[in-house]
Amino acid sequence: MRRDWTALPESVTARIAERVGGIVDVDPASNGNHAEIASAVTGSAGRVFVKAASGDLGVRSLRFELAATSAINGYPPEVLWHFECGGWLVVGVEHLDGSHPDLSPGSADLDLLASALKGLQETPAPDGRWFTPANRLGFAHPAMEGGMLVHSDLNPANLIVTTRGLRIVDWAWATRSAPWVELALLVQWLIGSGHTASQAEEWLAQFPAWTAIDREVLDDFATRSASKWSTKSRESNLGWVHDLAAWTTEWAFHRSRGAPRHCSLPEEPRPRP
């Protein structure tokens, strides 16, 4: 659960101040809830994004995210420093300036997402303990097992368009799996951004990991994902839970109507004779 900056002990804020050249401004993040503290901190040395946690679950999650962020180059924000003090784990990372992408059909930001995904699809999971598909998603299939590191939560709020391309934040759910799992989890966010289920699958067909998966495997994934979020929506009043239930149900319905084994990219129009 997110807490106010004032929850940090003075000993912790003093050590943060040393690293940023004195704290001039603190701007709490509006999204996310994994860390108890998540704020952009400005000092004379520049701006840093700071996450901190003290509870057992929060510390485990932040320690896990620290390991994932440190293991991957290019896409996550760079880890600048971290320390433990007064019962708190504190991590300072590169502050990313930019906006969240527009993932609606036809948006130029989709090209940025495709470029980032192509790199991630080739990123092996380093040695260490990572989530498995089963303990990340609550369901499993043998085809989901693999050796790649997937972010597993590429919703637009975790994507930032920068001058260096698309960057990805919040790696608390990094999972070791087959690369197509990342793509399957992206379907719900594409639908939520305005794509039909068919359009989402057509866009994903540019990735070899997607076209190589058997239809039955995708059918199973879509059905189980929809069932999970439908169950959660009956137990929750949170809007985002109901959104995910609707989007995953739309995809499962599309699959149940006989989606092709894989959706190929549209053919170029043939010239008229």
Side-chain angles (χ1 to χ4, degrees), residues 264-270:
S264 58
L265 292 171
E267 295 182 358
E268 293 291 332
R270 296 181 180 179

Side-chain angles (χ1 to χ4, degrees), residues 7 16 34 54 59 61 88-89 102 111 128-129 143 154 156 159 198 205 213 218 223 229 238 245 250 256:
I16 295 173
H34 294 301
S54 62
V59 169
S61 177
W88 286 80
L89 171 62
D102 171 10
D111 292 336
R129 296 182 61 184
L154 294 180
L159 308 175
S198 179
I213 292 300
L218 288 176
T223 298
W229 286 108
L238 295 173
E250 180 177 339
S256 72

Side-chain angles (χ1 to χ4, degrees), residues 47 59 61 92 171 220:
R47 206 170 197 206
V59 169
S61 177
W171 290 78
D220 180 77

Side-chain angles (χ1 to χ4, degrees), residues 249-265:
T249 296
E250 180 177 339
W251 185 33
F253 180 70
H254 169 72
R255 300 295 312 176
S256 72
R257 295 177 65 189
R261 182 181 181 277
H262 61 76
C263 297
S264 58
L265 292 171

Side-chain angles (χ1 to χ4, degrees), residues 176-211:
R176 185 199 303 269
S177 76
W180 69 266
V181 174
E182 187 87 274
L183 306 176
L185 288 169
L186 187 58
V187 172
Q188 61 204 27
W189 301 115
L190 292 174
I191 292 174
S193 296
H195 296 253
T196 64
S198 179
Q199 287 174 324
E201 291 192 344
E202 287 175 0
W203 188 82
L204 290 168
Q206 65 187 287
F207 302 101
W210 179 265
T211 57

Side-chain angles (χ1 to χ4, degrees), residues 3 20 43 47 78 160 163 187 195 200 223 246 252 259 272:
R3 299 172 66 182
V20 301
R47 206 170 197 206
E78 179 186 357
I160 301 177
T163 56
V187 172
H195 296 253
T223 298
R272 295 184 179 182

